[in-house]
Amino acid sequence: MAWLPLPPLVDHHCHGVVRGELDARTFEGYLTESDAPAAPGTTFFDTQAGFAVRRWCPPLLGLEPHCPPAAYLARRRELGPYKSRRALLRGTGIGAYLVDTGLPGDLTDLDELAGAGGGTAREIVRLETLAERIADGLTPEDPSARAAGDADAFVAGVGEAVRAAARTAVGFKSVAAYRHGLALASEPPAPHEVHAAAEDWLAGRRAGDRVADPVLLRHLLWLAVATGLPLQLHTGFGDPDLRLDHADPILLTDFIRATAGTGACLVLLHGYPYHRQAAYLASVFPHVYADVGLSLTHTGTRAEAVLAEFLELAPFGKLLFSTDGYGLPELYVVGAELFRTALRALLGRWVEEGAWSASDAERVAALIAARNAHRVYGLAGVPG
């Protein structure tokens, strides 16, 4: 169904791209969620994501598909970071980037990413990073020198920072799945609980220490919900910091029930291998949405099967495209191409079988590609 038209894609969950040149090992490290070397005698090009990069990216840099990794990386170095980034991002068909700005490193900012891709960019604020920056401002080099009022200052500062961010950002994100897991108590913590947790965390804290206290994580979630903006929640697989069984979106059921009627949407990111659970939650709770990003990138040629499983139960107005592109512009290319290819093959087959009409296929494709994101995030002035 190559004719299936799509509007400019809205990548509703992504990150910045590395500004500088990358050696082969660093490049390959972005092709996996692992923090360990590849198996002896192989590289991380020997993965579904690696093969997808070799299929879709070389033509954008003037090479043949499936060229050897060494030839591809040599061409990338020849062009340099700026030209290769621009050529790759301009080949994605992405018109808008909603960027999680909470990751460290020398990454492109919103304007750089939008400029390279020829689109627009808006910010998604990572709650835990915001809280850690507030705490860093209160953390002395000598923990014994901590001021008595630091917990009060932290709680007040976080509340004000979330409210200030809501004036310009289009949403928030939480990585509570990494820090504690998704089995959090569902109700907002009482003020005295938050204060006590802040005191305990700040006592002895050193700059850069991460927030992992379940009371503080829950407080951050409810601060975001109170703004009425969409809240993205990491679910499913990720790097080894995560306990996968603690990231099953079903663990959020009580929190989802508690947030019904608040006016805030919850967007369940990634999901794999629990993407069917995410689709179920989107099907039964009006304010819950599911994201197809990252799952498709890392399943490669199986992306069509995974996308079909998302579409088994989730209402078509509740699924959103993303790449979760991070570090490499190639991951934006792969995420977009695998999504388009899988969607067109899947919906095309259903049209050929007579299960769907062509007009319904076009409408649903546009919803998932862009229009659901326009509605959820209120993207006035963004094409599509």
Side-chain angles (χ1 to χ4, degrees):
M1 199 170 178
W3 56 266
L4 183 66
L6 291 173
L9 302 176
V10 175
D11 191 346
H12 86 103
H13 177 63
C14 59
H15 311 272
V17 173
V18 173
R19 289 191 176 102
E21 192 64 79
L22 298 174
D23 60 33
R25 183 172 181 177
T26 305
F27 183 98
E28 292 164 17
Y30 284 104
L31 300 177
T32 176
E33 292 293 323
S34 175
D35 59 2
T42 72
T43 76
F44 284 118
F45 274 103
D46 291 329
T47 59
Q48 289 282 10
F51 274 32
V53 165
R54 291 176 54 214
R55 162 64 181 89
W56 296 108
C57 298
L60 296 174
L61 301 187
L63 300 172
E64 291 296 317
H66 309 296
C67 72
Y72 179 77
L73 294 177
R75 176 59 173 162
R76 205 178 186 275
R77 287 192 297 272
E78 178 187 351
L79 290 173
Y82 175 79
K83 287 184 177 179
S84 60
R85 177 167 69 239
R86 183 181 173 90
L88 290 162
L89 291 178
R90 296 250 168 166
T92 63
I94 297 170
Y97 303 86
L98 307 191
V99 186
D100 169 7
T101 55
L103 286 174
D106 185 23
L107 304 175
T108 52
D109 61 23
L110 298 178
D111 290 340
E112 289 173 296
L113 188 64
T120 62
R122 302 290 299 275
E123 185 178 19
I124 300 290
V125 173
R126 184 180 290 215
L127 292 166
E128 292 80 10
T129 300
L130 181 150
E132 288 151 11
R133 287 172 180 163
I134 299 294
D136 284 346
L138 299 170
T139 299
E141 290 188 14
D142 179 2
S144 66
R146 182 167 306 285
D150 279 358
D152 291 330
F154 172 75
V155 173
V158 167
E160 177 52 38
V162 169
R163 290 187 289 272
R167 291 194 280 271
T168 55
V170 295
F172 292 95
K173 180 190 174 182
S174 172
V175 290
Y178 279 91
R179 304 301 178 79
H180 172 78
L182 298 178
L184 295 163
S186 60
E187 299 297 331
H192 73 274
E193 294 177 291
V194 176
H195 188 276
E199 278 194 324
D200 288 345
W201 180 51
L202 292 171
R205 180 185 185 272
R206 297 188 180 277
D209 287 355
R210 304 193 308 177
V211 57
D213 183 278
V215 171
L216 295 180
L217 293 172
R218 190 158 40 107
H219 179 58
L220 291 171
L221 296 182
W222 281 99
L223 285 174
V225 166
T227 70
L229 291 180
L231 172 59
Q232 300 178 347
L233 295 152
H234 180 101
T235 70
F237 77 126
D239 66 45
D241 269 353
L242 179 127
R243 270 283 301 267
L244 185 58
D245 57 329
H246 292 178
D248 186 335
I250 285 296
L251 297 171
L252 288 166
T253 301
D254 289 341
F255 177 73
I256 289 169
R257 288 196 177 107
T259 54
T262 62
C265 296
L266 306 180
V267 185
L268 307 179
L269 299 176
H270 317 318
Y272 187 89
Y274 306 117
H275 50 290
R276 280 171 154 161
Q277 283 92 317
Y280 160 74
L281 292 168
S283 76
V284 296
F285 292 103
H287 65 306
V288 175
Y289 293 76
D291 158 63
V292 304
L294 190 63
S295 297
L296 305 188
T297 296
H298 284 278
T299 52
T301 55
R302 290 286 293 167
E304 182 184 337
V306 174
L307 183 59
E309 290 171 348
F310 273 108
L311 287 164
E312 286 171 350
L313 201 58
F316 308 132
K318 306 295 281 304
L319 291 173
L320 291 85
F321 160 78
S322 80
T323 64
D324 193 29
Y326 164 54
L328 301 180
E330 284 84 354
L331 296 179
Y332 289 87
V333 175
V334 166
E337 291 292 357
L338 289 173
F339 168 73
R340 272 192 293 264
T341 301
L343 188 69
R344 284 171 170 157
L346 192 62
L347 301 193
R349 186 166 68 251
W350 293 346
V351 169
E352 290 171 5
E353 292 170 351
W356 285 33
S357 70
S359 61
D360 280 339
E362 291 181 20
R363 182 171 55 84
V364 169
L367 286 173
I368 301 171
R371 291 176 188 162
N372 290 335
H374 276 265
R375 185 179 72 254
V376 170
Y377 296 96
L379 301 179
V382 173

mmCIF file of all heavy atoms in Angstrom, residues 53-91:
data_model
loop_
_atom_site.group_PDB
_atom_site.id
_atom_site.type_symbol
_atom_site.label_atom_id
_atom_site.label_comp_id
_atom_site.label_asym_id
_atom_site.label_seq_id
_atom_site.Cartn_x
_atom_site.Cartn_y
_atom_site.Cartn_z
ATOM 1 N N VAL A 53 19.474 0.293 10.185
ATOM 2 C CA VAL A 53 20.310 1.445 9.849
ATOM 3 C C VAL A 53 20.972 1.227 8.497
ATOM 4 O O VAL A 53 20.968 2.117 7.629
ATOM 5 C CB VAL A 53 21.374 1.683 10.946
ATOM 6 C CG1 VAL A 53 22.467 2.631 10.452
ATOM 7 C CG2 VAL A 53 20.730 2.259 12.203
ATOM 8 N N ARG A 54 21.511 0.032 8.264
ATOM 9 C CA ARG A 54 22.194 -0.247 6.993
ATOM 10 C C ARG A 54 21.218 -0.315 5.823
ATOM 11 O O ARG A 54 21.615 -0.073 4.671
ATOM 12 C CB ARG A 54 22.986 -1.546 7.117
ATOM 13 C CG ARG A 54 24.191 -1.431 8.057
ATOM 14 C CD ARG A 54 24.892 -2.763 8.224
ATOM 15 N NE ARG A 54 25.253 -3.315 6.922
ATOM 16 C CZ ARG A 54 25.246 -4.618 6.657
ATOM 17 N NH1 ARG A 54 24.903 -5.504 7.600
ATOM 18 N NH2 ARG A 54 25.574 -5.044 5.454
ATOM 19 N N ARG A 55 19.956 -0.613 6.083
ATOM 20 C CA ARG A 55 18.960 -0.642 5.010
ATOM 21 C C ARG A 55 18.520 0.773 4.617
ATOM 22 O O ARG A 55 18.438 1.111 3.438
ATOM 23 C CB ARG A 55 17.730 -1.451 5.474
ATOM 24 C CG ARG A 55 16.450 -1.221 4.666
ATOM 25 C CD ARG A 55 16.604 -1.675 3.211
ATOM 26 N NE ARG A 55 15.396 -1.445 2.438
ATOM 27 C CZ ARG A 55 15.108 -0.331 1.777
ATOM 28 N NH1 ARG A 55 15.959 0.693 1.817
ATOM 29 N NH2 ARG A 55 14.001 -0.213 1.073
ATOM 30 N N TRP A 56 18.223 1.616 5.597
ATOM 31 C CA TRP A 56 17.523 2.863 5.312
ATOM 32 C C TRP A 56 18.429 4.097 5.242
ATOM 33 O O TRP A 56 18.085 5.067 4.552
ATOM 34 C CB TRP A 56 16.445 3.109 6.369
ATOM 35 C CG TRP A 56 15.365 2.090 6.360
ATOM 36 C CD1 TRP A 56 15.135 1.106 7.284
ATOM 37 C CD2 TRP A 56 14.349 1.930 5.361
ATOM 38 N NE1 TRP A 56 14.056 0.349 6.933
ATOM 39 C CE2 TRP A 56 13.542 0.831 5.750
ATOM 40 C CE3 TRP A 56 14.035 2.603 4.177
ATOM 41 C CZ2 TRP A 56 12.450 0.400 5.003
ATOM 42 C CZ3 TRP A 56 12.953 2.173 3.432
ATOM 43 C CH2 TRP A 56 12.170 1.079 3.838
ATOM 44 N N CYS A 57 19.578 4.068 5.913
ATOM 45 C CA CYS A 57 20.367 5.295 6.027
ATOM 46 C C CYS A 57 21.391 5.520 4.916
ATOM 47 O O CYS A 57 21.589 6.669 4.496
ATOM 48 C CB CYS A 57 21.053 5.339 7.394
ATOM 49 S SG CYS A 57 19.876 5.382 8.769
ATOM 50 N N PRO A 58 22.067 4.493 4.408
ATOM 51 C CA PRO A 58 23.084 4.758 3.384
ATOM 52 C C PRO A 58 22.583 5.563 2.182
ATOM 53 O O PRO A 58 23.298 6.474 1.720
ATOM 54 C CB PRO A 58 23.553 3.349 2.986
ATOM 55 C CG PRO A 58 23.372 2.550 4.242
ATOM 56 C CD PRO A 58 22.085 3.078 4.822
ATOM 57 N N PRO A 59 21.378 5.280 1.621
ATOM 58 C CA PRO A 59 20.954 6.078 0.463
ATOM 59 C C PRO A 59 20.855 7.573 0.752
ATOM 60 O O PRO A 59 21.035 8.392 -0.161
ATOM 61 C CB PRO A 59 19.577 5.480 0.123
ATOM 62 C CG PRO A 59 19.647 4.073 0.621
ATOM 63 C CD PRO A 59 20.442 4.163 1.888
ATOM 64 N N LEU A 60 20.574 7.945 2.002
ATOM 65 C CA LEU A 60 20.485 9.363 2.345
ATOM 66 C C LEU A 60 21.855 10.031 2.368
ATOM 67 O O LEU A 60 21.944 11.256 2.307
ATOM 68 C CB LEU A 60 19.794 9.535 3.697
ATOM 69 C CG LEU A 60 18.338 9.068 3.754
ATOM 70 C CD1 LEU A 60 17.800 9.156 5.182
ATOM 71 C CD2 LEU A 60 17.462 9.889 2.803
ATOM 72 N N LEU A 61 22.904 9.219 2.418
ATOM 73 C CA LEU A 61 24.277 9.746 2.386
ATOM 74 C C LEU A 61 24.986 9.391 1.083
ATOM 75 O O LEU A 61 26.212 9.485 0.989
ATOM 76 C CB LEU A 61 25.071 9.211 3.576
ATOM 77 C CG LEU A 61 24.524 9.521 4.974
ATOM 78 C CD1 LEU A 61 25.516 9.073 6.048
ATOM 79 C CD2 LEU A 61 24.190 10.997 5.136
ATOM 80 N N GLY A 62 24.213 8.971 0.084
ATOM 81 C CA GLY A 62 24.784 8.706 -1.229
ATOM 82 C C GLY A 62 25.407 7.341 -1.403
ATOM 83 O O GLY A 62 26.227 7.140 -2.312
ATOM 84 N N LEU A 63 25.014 6.367 -0.573
ATOM 85 C CA LEU A 63 25.551 5.012 -0.653
ATOM 86 C C LEU A 63 24.442 4.022 -0.982
ATOM 87 O O LEU A 63 23.256 4.347 -0.910
ATOM 88 C CB LEU A 63 26.201 4.625 0.685
ATOM 89 C CG LEU A 63 27.364 5.488 1.171
ATOM 90 C CD1 LEU A 63 27.744 5.092 2.596
ATOM 91 C CD2 LEU A 63 28.559 5.365 0.237
ATOM 92 N N GLU A 64 24.837 2.793 -1.314
ATOM 93 C CA GLU A 64 23.867 1.747 -1.588
ATOM 94 C C GLU A 64 23.313 1.176 -0.277
ATOM 95 O O GLU A 64 24.036 1.100 0.721
ATOM 96 C CB GLU A 64 24.517 0.619 -2.390
ATOM 97 C CG GLU A 64 24.883 1.002 -3.811
ATOM 98 C CD GLU A 64 23.643 1.350 -4.641
ATOM 99 O OE1 GLU A 64 22.638 0.615 -4.539
ATOM 100 O OE2 GLU A 64 23.703 2.354 -5.378
ATOM 101 N N PRO A 65 22.038 0.755 -0.273
ATOM 102 C CA PRO A 65 21.519 0.074 0.920
ATOM 103 C C PRO A 65 22.368 -1.137 1.274
ATOM 104 O O PRO A 65 22.927 -1.796 0.391
ATOM 105 C CB PRO A 65 20.106 -0.351 0.491
ATOM 106 C CG PRO A 65 19.744 0.559 -0.631
ATOM 107 C CD PRO A 65 21.027 0.865 -1.342
ATOM 108 N N HIS A 66 22.467 -1.407 2.562
ATOM 109 C CA HIS A 66 23.165 -2.583 3.097
ATOM 110 C C HIS A 66 24.671 -2.530 2.878
ATOM 111 O O HIS A 66 25.341 -3.566 2.948
ATOM 112 C CB HIS A 66 22.607 -3.885 2.502
ATOM 113 C CG HIS A 66 21.121 -4.008 2.600
ATOM 114 N ND1 HIS A 66 20.459 -4.087 3.798
ATOM 115 C CD2 HIS A 66 20.159 -4.057 1.632
ATOM 116 C CE1 HIS A 66 19.162 -4.182 3.579
ATOM 117 N NE2 HIS A 66 18.945 -4.157 2.281
ATOM 118 N N CYS A 67 25.211 -1.342 2.645
ATOM 119 C CA CYS A 67 26.667 -1.267 2.503
ATOM 120 C C CYS A 67 27.324 -1.670 3.828
ATOM 121 O O CYS A 67 26.704 -1.610 4.890
ATOM 122 C CB CYS A 67 27.094 0.134 2.084
ATOM 123 S SG CYS A 67 26.938 1.383 3.380
ATOM 124 N N PRO A 68 28.580 -2.113 3.797
ATOM 125 C CA PRO A 68 29.248 -2.542 5.034
ATOM 126 C C PRO A 68 29.308 -1.403 6.051
ATOM 127 O O PRO A 68 29.434 -0.223 5.669
ATOM 128 C CB PRO A 68 30.649 -2.938 4.559
ATOM 129 C CG PRO A 68 30.499 -3.240 3.113
ATOM 130 C CD PRO A 68 29.437 -2.309 2.612
ATOM 131 N N PRO A 69 29.247 -1.722 7.332
ATOM 132 C CA PRO A 69 29.317 -0.681 8.361
ATOM 133 C C PRO A 69 30.532 0.227 8.221
ATOM 134 O O PRO A 69 30.423 1.443 8.402
ATOM 135 C CB PRO A 69 29.351 -1.480 9.666
ATOM 136 C CG PRO A 69 28.628 -2.739 9.358
ATOM 137 C CD PRO A 69 28.980 -3.048 7.933
ATOM 138 N N ALA A 70 31.686 -0.341 7.912
ATOM 139 C CA ALA A 70 32.889 0.479 7.803
ATOM 140 C C ALA A 70 32.752 1.526 6.703
ATOM 141 O O ALA A 70 33.179 2.683 6.861
ATOM 142 C CB ALA A 70 34.112 -0.403 7.553
ATOM 143 N N ALA A 71 32.157 1.141 5.567
ATOM 144 C CA ALA A 71 31.963 2.089 4.465
ATOM 145 C C ALA A 71 30.967 3.172 4.869
ATOM 146 O O ALA A 71 31.143 4.350 4.521
ATOM 147 C CB ALA A 71 31.482 1.349 3.226
ATOM 148 N N TYR A 72 29.927 2.766 5.580
ATOM 149 C CA TYR A 72 28.934 3.749 6.013
ATOM 150 C C TYR A 72 29.559 4.758 6.982
ATOM 151 O O TYR A 72 29.384 5.973 6.820
ATOM 152 C CB TYR A 72 27.743 3.057 6.679
ATOM 153 C CG TYR A 72 26.711 4.058 7.158
ATOM 154 C CD1 TYR A 72 25.849 4.661 6.257
ATOM 155 C CD2 TYR A 72 26.646 4.423 8.497
ATOM 156 C CE1 TYR A 72 24.925 5.614 6.676
ATOM 157 C CE2 TYR A 72 25.733 5.367 8.930
ATOM 158 C CZ TYR A 72 24.875 5.953 8.015
ATOM 159 O OH TYR A 72 23.979 6.907 8.437
ATOM 160 N N LEU A 73 30.283 4.277 7.962
ATOM 161 C CA LEU A 73 30.878 5.181 8.948
ATOM 162 C C LEU A 73 31.937 6.068 8.313
ATOM 163 O O LEU A 73 32.095 7.240 8.705
ATOM 164 C CB LEU A 73 31.462 4.368 10.105
ATOM 165 C CG LEU A 73 30.431 3.616 10.958
ATOM 166 C CD1 LEU A 73 31.135 2.777 12.023
ATOM 167 C CD2 LEU A 73 29.442 4.576 11.602
ATOM 168 N N ALA A 74 32.660 5.547 7.305
ATOM 169 C CA ALA A 74 33.634 6.377 6.599
ATOM 170 C C ALA A 74 32.941 7.521 5.856
ATOM 171 O O ALA A 74 33.425 8.667 5.861
ATOM 172 C CB ALA A 74 34.441 5.523 5.620
ATOM 173 N N ARG A 75 31.832 7.223 5.206
ATOM 174 C CA ARG A 75 31.068 8.271 4.513
ATOM 175 C C ARG A 75 30.541 9.302 5.502
ATOM 176 O O ARG A 75 30.562 10.511 5.230
ATOM 177 C CB ARG A 75 29.910 7.628 3.750
ATOM 178 C CG ARG A 75 28.971 8.599 3.055
ATOM 179 C CD ARG A 75 29.699 9.463 2.043
ATOM 180 N NE ARG A 75 28.763 10.262 1.267
ATOM 181 C CZ ARG A 75 29.111 11.340 0.565
ATOM 182 N NH1 ARG A 75 30.388 11.738 0.545
ATOM 183 N NH2 ARG A 75 28.210 12.002 -0.119
ATOM 184 N N ARG A 76 30.100 8.846 6.641
ATOM 185 C CA ARG A 76 29.599 9.749 7.679
ATOM 186 C C ARG A 76 30.706 10.714 8.138
ATOM 187 O O ARG A 76 30.481 11.913 8.306
ATOM 188 C CB ARG A 76 29.094 8.906 8.853
ATOM 189 C CG ARG A 76 28.054 9.539 9.726
ATOM 190 C CD ARG A 76 27.634 8.543 10.797
ATOM 191 N NE ARG A 76 26.537 9.009 11.598
ATOM 192 C CZ ARG A 76 26.654 9.779 12.662
ATOM 193 N NH1 ARG A 76 27.847 10.200 13.039
ATOM 194 N NH2 ARG A 76 25.581 10.138 13.348
ATOM 195 N N ARG A 77 31.920 10.175 8.348
ATOM 196 C CA ARG A 77 33.051 11.013 8.757
ATOM 197 C C ARG A 77 33.433 11.989 7.641
ATOM 198 O O ARG A 77 33.809 13.139 7.908
ATOM 199 C CB ARG A 77 34.251 10.135 9.121
ATOM 200 C CG ARG A 77 34.094 9.406 10.439
ATOM 201 C CD ARG A 77 35.423 8.789 10.884
ATOM 202 N NE ARG A 77 35.890 7.792 9.940
ATOM 203 C CZ ARG A 77 35.549 6.502 9.988
ATOM 204 N NH1 ARG A 77 34.722 6.069 10.931
ATOM 205 N NH2 ARG A 77 36.027 5.649 9.096
ATOM 206 N N GLU A 78 33.343 11.524 6.393
ATOM 207 C CA GLU A 78 33.670 12.392 5.249
ATOM 208 C C GLU A 78 32.751 13.609 5.206
ATOM 209 O O GLU A 78 33.194 14.730 4.955
ATOM 210 C CB GLU A 78 33.550 11.578 3.957
ATOM 211 C CG GLU A 78 33.819 12.365 2.690
ATOM 212 C CD GLU A 78 33.526 11.553 1.443
ATOM 213 O OE1 GLU A 78 33.280 10.337 1.555
ATOM 214 O OE2 GLU A 78 33.524 12.148 0.345
ATOM 215 N N LEU A 79 31.479 13.393 5.442
ATOM 216 C CA LEU A 79 30.509 14.498 5.416
ATOM 217 C C LEU A 79 30.616 15.384 6.650
ATOM 218 O O LEU A 79 30.344 16.588 6.591
ATOM 219 C CB LEU A 79 29.090 13.944 5.314
ATOM 220 C CG LEU A 79 28.706 13.296 3.996
ATOM 221 C CD1 LEU A 79 27.342 12.636 4.101
ATOM 222 C CD2 LEU A 79 28.718 14.329 2.867
ATOM 223 N N GLY A 80 30.972 14.783 7.780
ATOM 224 C CA GLY A 80 31.025 15.530 9.030
ATOM 225 C C GLY A 80 29.688 15.510 9.746
ATOM 226 O O GLY A 80 28.635 15.235 9.145
ATOM 227 N N PRO A 81 29.685 15.820 11.054
ATOM 228 C CA PRO A 81 28.448 15.709 11.851
ATOM 229 C C PRO A 81 27.311 16.578 11.343
ATOM 230 O O PRO A 81 26.165 16.126 11.290
ATOM 231 C CB PRO A 81 28.903 16.138 13.251
ATOM 232 C CG PRO A 81 30.366 15.918 13.283
ATOM 233 C CD PRO A 81 30.851 16.169 11.882
ATOM 234 N N TYR A 82 27.607 17.817 10.953
ATOM 235 C CA TYR A 82 26.517 18.726 10.573
ATOM 236 C C TYR A 82 25.837 18.251 9.288
ATOM 237 O O TYR A 82 24.603 18.136 9.230
ATOM 238 C CB TYR A 82 27.036 20.144 10.398
ATOM 239 C CG TYR A 82 25.979 21.091 9.890
ATOM 240 C CD1 TYR A 82 25.020 21.617 10.745
ATOM 241 C CD2 TYR A 82 25.920 21.434 8.542
ATOM 242 C CE1 TYR A 82 24.027 22.475 10.278
ATOM 243 C CE2 TYR A 82 24.944 22.288 8.062
ATOM 244 C CZ TYR A 82 24.002 22.804 8.936
ATOM 245 O OH TYR A 82 23.020 23.644 8.464
ATOM 246 N N LYS A 83 26.621 17.969 8.240
ATOM 247 C CA LYS A 83 26.025 17.589 6.953
ATOM 248 C C LYS A 83 25.320 16.235 7.042
ATOM 249 O O LYS A 83 24.246 16.048 6.456
ATOM 250 C CB LYS A 83 27.092 17.567 5.860
ATOM 251 C CG LYS A 83 27.566 18.949 5.434
ATOM 252 C CD LYS A 83 28.548 18.856 4.276
ATOM 253 C CE LYS A 83 28.964 20.246 3.819
ATOM 254 N NZ LYS A 83 29.950 20.182 2.697
ATOM 255 N N SER A 84 25.923 15.287 7.743
ATOM 256 C CA SER A 84 25.277 13.977 7.848
ATOM 257 C C SER A 84 24.001 14.078 8.673
ATOM 258 O O SER A 84 22.982 13.471 8.319
ATOM 259 C CB SER A 84 26.238 12.953 8.444
ATOM 260 O OG SER A 84 26.673 13.332 9.730
ATOM 261 N N ARG A 85 24.029 14.836 9.744
ATOM 262 C CA ARG A 85 22.827 15.021 10.568
ATOM 263 C C ARG A 85 21.699 15.646 9.749
ATOM 264 O O ARG A 85 20.559 15.183 9.788
ATOM 265 C CB ARG A 85 23.168 15.901 11.765
ATOM 266 C CG ARG A 85 21.984 16.215 12.659
ATOM 267 C CD ARG A 85 22.463 16.810 13.969
ATOM 268 N NE ARG A 85 23.037 18.139 13.853
ATOM 269 C CZ ARG A 85 24.271 18.460 14.214
ATOM 270 N NH1 ARG A 85 25.112 17.544 14.683
ATOM 271 N NH2 ARG A 85 24.710 19.705 14.093
ATOM 272 N N ARG A 86 22.035 16.671 9.006
ATOM 273 C CA ARG A 86 21.021 17.360 8.203
ATOM 274 C C ARG A 86 20.450 16.432 7.123
ATOM 275 O O ARG A 86 19.228 16.359 6.928
ATOM 276 C CB ARG A 86 21.640 18.608 7.568
ATOM 277 C CG ARG A 86 20.661 19.454 6.750
ATOM 278 C CD ARG A 86 21.404 20.651 6.163
ATOM 279 N NE ARG A 86 20.571 21.402 5.250
ATOM 280 C CZ ARG A 86 19.795 22.421 5.598
ATOM 281 N NH1 ARG A 86 19.734 22.802 6.868
ATOM 282 N NH2 ARG A 86 19.074 23.054 4.682
ATOM 283 N N ALA A 87 21.326 15.708 6.418
ATOM 284 C CA ALA A 87 20.857 14.822 5.353
ATOM 285 C C ALA A 87 19.956 13.724 5.905
ATOM 286 O O ALA A 87 18.927 13.384 5.299
ATOM 287 C CB ALA A 87 22.054 14.208 4.627
ATOM 288 N N LEU A 88 20.319 13.178 7.047
ATOM 289 C CA LEU A 88 19.530 12.095 7.622
ATOM 290 C C LEU A 88 18.198 12.595 8.160
ATOM 291 O O LEU A 88 17.140 12.023 7.857
ATOM 292 C CB LEU A 88 20.341 11.403 8.724
ATOM 293 C CG LEU A 88 21.541 10.586 8.231
ATOM 294 C CD1 LEU A 88 22.518 10.301 9.364
ATOM 295 C CD2 LEU A 88 21.087 9.285 7.575
ATOM 296 N N LEU A 89 18.214 13.643 8.945
ATOM 297 C CA LEU A 89 16.960 14.124 9.534
ATOM 298 C C LEU A 89 16.006 14.657 8.472
ATOM 299 O O LEU A 89 14.785 14.499 8.602
ATOM 300 C CB LEU A 89 17.249 15.196 10.587
ATOM 301 C CG LEU A 89 17.930 14.700 11.866
ATOM 302 C CD1 LEU A 89 18.215 15.868 12.805
ATOM 303 C CD2 LEU A 89 17.082 13.654 12.577
ATOM 304 N N ARG A 90 16.531 15.254 7.422
ATOM 305 C CA ARG A 90 15.651 15.768 6.358
ATOM 306 C C ARG A 90 15.024 14.631 5.560
ATOM 307 O O ARG A 90 14.059 14.844 4.824
ATOM 308 C CB ARG A 90 16.433 16.689 5.434
ATOM 309 C CG ARG A 90 16.950 17.938 6.133
ATOM 310 C CD ARG A 90 16.272 19.180 5.724
ATOM 311 N NE ARG A 90 16.609 20.274 6.634
ATOM 312 C CZ ARG A 90 16.379 21.552 6.377
ATOM 313 N NH1 ARG A 90 15.806 21.904 5.232
ATOM 314 N NH2 ARG A 90 16.676 22.478 7.266
ATOM 315 N N GLY A 91 15.551 13.421 5.712
ATOM 316 C CA GLY A 91 14.982 12.274 5.010
ATOM 317 C C GLY A 91 13.963 11.496 5.806
ATOM 318 O O GLY A 91 13.498 10.448 5.343
#
